[in-house]
Amino acid sequence: MSDTVEKTLATTLLQRLEEALQDPDPVCRQRKADRISAVLDSQRTQSPDTGTTPLLICDWADDLGSEGATQRLGIESVPGPTKVAKTSAATGRSLLSNGHLGADILHVPAGEGFAPHTHPGDHLLFVLAGEGTISVNGQIVPTGPGRAYMVDGSVVHAVGAITDHTILSIGTPHRALDSEDRQSLTAYAALLNPFGSIHCLICDISADGGEELESLGCTHSPHRFG
């Protein structure tokens, strides 16, 4: 990296740090500090010759040893330090990102979730802990540990938590957890099938909308998520 680029980066970081310290909202101050820290971390691993990041490593689970051919990992199912934008309760922590491809750990409390939405690019989701749901194309499908799923980012879908739910999310193009353009919320009706209904595979109940599902005893409809 050239001296000019380094000086420009240092100046930009100092300006952002001054802005962060002047922000009266402690949550905003912390968010800005986290962003600055992420930039600094990425610069520490840059190659001096190419300006690219050849290798990023992150410990995201504890090695609990193996028994025969079975490997055990320990994963904390706890809230993360960063609130996910456009959700009421989902949090997470960023693991790795090269600005295009990235991975995050998401935590969704029981009864909460991601409202119907689309997002830039696609997300590959691995369920690490807890029971949850993925709603798409008129169906509410159960998910659990050991299951992976992927939905085209342009297809409206919703993700819910039956119990506290922890998910490894890999996406491209990667967006920060608190970025307003990580997801675009849509109307609930966009989740319905071509016949205008939705079916919960857990309760085996069909209805014309979330409120009707709820009135029939289903507790898994994503119409409650915000």
Side-chain angles (χ1 to χ4, degrees):
M1 184 183 296
S2 69
D3 291 342
T4 300
V5 173
E6 287 184 345
K7 290 178 180 177
T8 301
L9 176 62
T11 300
T12 301
L13 290 176
L14 284 173
Q15 290 175 343
R16 291 182 179 176
L17 181 58
E18 289 176 355
E19 293 173 358
L21 292 175
Q22 293 172 3
D23 197 311
D25 187 338
V27 175
C28 290
R29 283 203 305 271
Q30 185 60 53
R31 184 180 300 163
K32 292 174 181 176
D34 289 343
R35 287 177 175 171
I36 294 170
S37 177
V39 172
L40 289 172
D41 288 342
S42 68
Q43 293 303 317
R44 290 191 190 104
T45 59
Q46 282 191 332
S47 164
D49 296 326
T50 65
T52 61
T53 305
L55 176 65
L56 292 173
I57 297 177
C58 177
D59 295 325
W60 61 275
D62 295 325
D63 183 353
L64 300 184
S66 59
E67 183 175 341
T70 302
Q71 170 68 46
R72 292 183 171 83
L73 297 176
I75 300 158
E76 282 193 313
S77 184
V78 296
T82 304
K83 183 180 181 298
V84 181
K86 299 181 181 179
T87 70
S88 61
T91 59
R93 61 187 177 96
S94 181
L95 299 180
L96 303 168
S97 178
N98 63 6
H100 177 64
L101 176 66
D104 308 294
I105 296 288
L106 305 176
H107 179 269
V108 189
E112 299 289 344
F114 292 77
H117 66 278
T118 60
H119 46 71
D122 304 322
H123 285 174
L124 180 60
L125 304 178
F126 295 85
V127 181
L128 305 181
E131 303 297 325
T133 60
I134 172 75
S135 302
V136 64
N137 195 31
Q139 288 190 323
I140 301 173
V141 181
T143 63
R147 176 167 285 185
Y149 55 96
M150 181 171 63
V151 180
D152 188 312
S154 64
V155 175
V156 176
H157 57 285
V159 177
I162 299 173
T163 65
D164 279 14
H165 205 30
T166 302
I167 301 168
L168 170 62
S169 171
I170 300 174
T172 179
H174 185 250
R175 296 288 188 270
L177 292 168
D178 57 358
S179 174
E180 290 296 317
D181 66 348
R182 185 179 173 95
Q183 59 176 328
S184 298
L185 300 183
T186 68
Y188 184 90
L191 276 181
L192 305 180
N193 63 32
F195 302 101
S197 65
I198 187 167
H199 180 71
C200 178
L201 297 182
I202 303 170
C203 302
D204 195 21
I205 296 175
S206 294
D208 293 333
E211 290 79 5
E212 183 178 349
L213 270 180
E214 191 169 39
S215 70
L216 294 173
C218 175
T219 60
H220 306 115
S221 171
H223 73 284
R224 299 171 289 112
F225 306 151

